[in-house]
Amino acid sequence: MSNGDIFVGEVIGTAILILFGAGVVAAVVLNYSKAQNAGWVVIAFGWGFGVMAGAYTAAPLSGGQLNPAVTVGIAIDTGKWDKVPLYIAGQMVGAMLGAVLCWLVYYAQFQANAEEEIAQPTLGIFSTAPAIRNPVANLMTEIIATIGLVLPILAFGLTKGLGESGTAVLVVSFLVVGIGLSLGGPTGYAINPARDLGPRIVHALLPIPNKGTSDWSYSWIPVVGPLIGGVLSGLIFKAAF
């Protein structure tokens, strides 16, 4: 894989991931959306389908990692770090692009939301926030949930048939749905630093009326927690497998 292929693949794949993921949250929470109040199960499946679409699209170019925590976990396992900055740069750019595309898709709903007597906060469409704000508990949740993502991904690589059949991405997509359903309640399961930080930056920059705060005081948790989870996953995998 050339440097250009890696960067372009991760930009495109992560943009699709965020477009689908942020898009399903916008669909569920914004007024005047036909999917309003569809619920958490719909959000979990929307994110899972986003992973599937993004990773399958990026796979021929970059392998479709789409997540700095996955990239770090793979690097610890393989010992190859030279492409890590390139992967993460593509993931960040793609996440920001996907967030902008989501805003464009739901532009009319964002405008209508601002005209309501009590406008809904919009940050949750772009980034995560805890149900109960407790930094230690929130960080622990993100670390454990990310291990629940990255360690199985590394182990899936040992199953030769998954790679040969092309179904590995599909299995990972259902894994993400499972994480959302089982572990997403406390923090909204960022499990991906680029997925949270990139759209949070876009939320801060976009001219969304009455958009509310971008909650920078919390922003380090969905970055640091998944990175720690990725590191621990790589170390556990090397030790156990």
Side-chain angles (χ1 to χ4, degrees), residues 9-27 43 45-58 65-68 88-106 110 122-128 176 188-203 206 222:
E10 292 298 293
V11 168
I12 294 174
T14 311
I16 293 173
L17 163 63
I18 300 302
L19 174 61
F20 276 51
V24 72
V25 180
I43 289 174
F45 272 94
W47 276 105
F49 291 144
V51 169
M52 181 176 66
Y56 270 126
T57 302
Q65 296 181 15
L66 314 186
N67 183 341
I88 294 177
Q91 292 155 5
M92 280 296 298
V93 172
M96 295 176 72
L97 176 60
V100 172
L101 293 174
C102 172
W103 171 65
L104 292 174
V105 169
Y106 284 93
F110 279 113
T122 58
L123 179 60
I125 294 169
F126 295 90
S127 296
T128 61
V176 171
Y189 71 115
I191 59 173
N192 181 337
R195 167 263 177 277
D196 195 275
L197 181 58
R200 194 182 298 269
I201 293 171
V202 169
H203 177 267
L206 284 176

Side-chain angles (χ1 to χ4, degrees), residues 60-182:
L61 293 172
S62 65
Q65 296 181 15
L66 314 186
N67 183 341
V70 173
T71 298
V72 168
I74 291 173
I76 289 175
D77 174 42
T78 63
K80 297 178 180 178
W81 289 88
D82 56 316
K83 304 291 187 183
V84 168
L86 187 63
Y87 271 96
I88 294 177
Q91 292 155 5
M92 280 296 298
V93 172
M96 295 176 72
L97 176 60
V100 172
L101 293 174
C102 172
W103 171 65
L104 292 174
V105 169
Y106 284 93
Y107 181 82
Q109 281 73 26
F110 279 113
Q111 298 301 113
N113 176 61
E115 297 169 2
E116 294 291 313
E117 184 176 345
I118 301 177
Q120 296 174 331
T122 58
L123 179 60
I125 294 169
F126 295 90
S127 296
T128 61
I132 299 174
R133 191 170 294 261
N134 181 318
V136 174
N138 302 152
L139 184 65
M140 190 66 64
T141 296
E142 286 295 332
I143 291 171
I144 294 171
T146 305
I147 293 173
L149 171 70
V150 179
L151 185 57
I153 286 176
L154 295 174
F156 292 161
L158 299 177
T159 304
K160 189 176 180 181
L162 286 178
E164 292 178 344
S165 65
T167 56
V169 170
L170 180 62
V171 173
V172 172
S173 303
F174 280 110
L175 172 63
V176 171
V177 173
I179 291 171
L181 295 176
S182 299

